[in-house]
Amino acid sequence: MNGTDFKKYIGENIAKIRKFRGYSQEHMSEIIDMAPNSYSRIERGQNFPSAESFAKIIDALDIKPVDLFNFPNEESDAKIKKEVYRKLKILEKDREKMVNIWLYINSII
C-alpha cells in the first residue's frame, strides 16, 4: 500500500463513521476547529490530519484509533459475506428480526 492509498482509506473510514454518527462535514469541521475545505480534503484522501487534528477527529467520532485502520481485505470480505449470508438464512423464519436487521442496514447505508 502506498501513501496515497493509505490517506484514501483513512479518509474513507472517517467519512463512513461520520455518516454513521449522522454528522455533516460542516458539523465535524466545527467540532474539531478546522476549515470545512481542509476537513473535506482529509475525507477525500488528499490530506492527512496532523496528530492534533487526528486526535480531535477520534474524540469527535467517539472511536478508538484502530477503528480508522480497518482496511479492505478481499479474503476477509468474502468470509464476512459468507457468514452474513449464513446467519440471514438462519433468521429467514423470524420476520421481526429480519425487518429489524433491514431497518438497521438501511440506517447505516
Side-chain angles (χ1 to χ4, degrees):
M1 173 182 304
N2 63 38
T4 301
D5 289 341
F6 183 75
K7 288 190 296 189
K8 178 183 168 203
Y9 290 131
I10 293 292
E12 287 174 355
N13 286 344
I14 290 171
K16 285 177 190 175
I17 296 168
R18 172 188 57 78
K19 290 174 186 175
F20 178 75
R21 296 280 191 257
Y23 299 157
S24 67
Q25 284 188 343
E26 292 79 19
H27 178 72
M28 279 295 294
S29 65
E30 287 175 20
I31 292 173
I32 64 171
D33 194 29
M34 178 182 283
N37 60 344
S38 296
Y39 179 79
S40 176
R41 284 194 299 267
I42 290 170
E43 284 195 3
R44 288 182 280 141
Q46 295 173 334
N47 288 350
F48 196 77
S50 67
E52 182 180 342
S53 295
F54 196 71
K56 288 179 181 180
I57 290 168
I58 289 167
D59 286 343
L61 295 174
D62 191 28
I63 58 174
K64 297 174 186 167
V66 70
D67 295 333
L68 295 179
F69 295 93
N70 183 20
F71 298 129
N73 178 315
E74 290 182 24
E75 183 179 325
S76 65
D77 287 354
K79 288 178 184 177
I80 291 170
K81 287 176 188 174
K82 185 176 180 180
E83 185 63 17
V84 166
Y85 180 75
R86 188 183 73 74
K87 290 191 186 287
L88 287 174
K89 291 299 275 180
I90 292 169
L91 290 173
E92 203 169 40
K93 296 176 184 171
D94 191 333
R95 187 180 190 307
E96 182 180 351
K97 286 182 182 176
M98 288 292 289
V99 168
N100 287 334
I101 290 169
W102 178 77
L103 290 170
Y104 175 74
I105 289 171
N106 278 331
S107 74
I108 62 173
I109 295 178

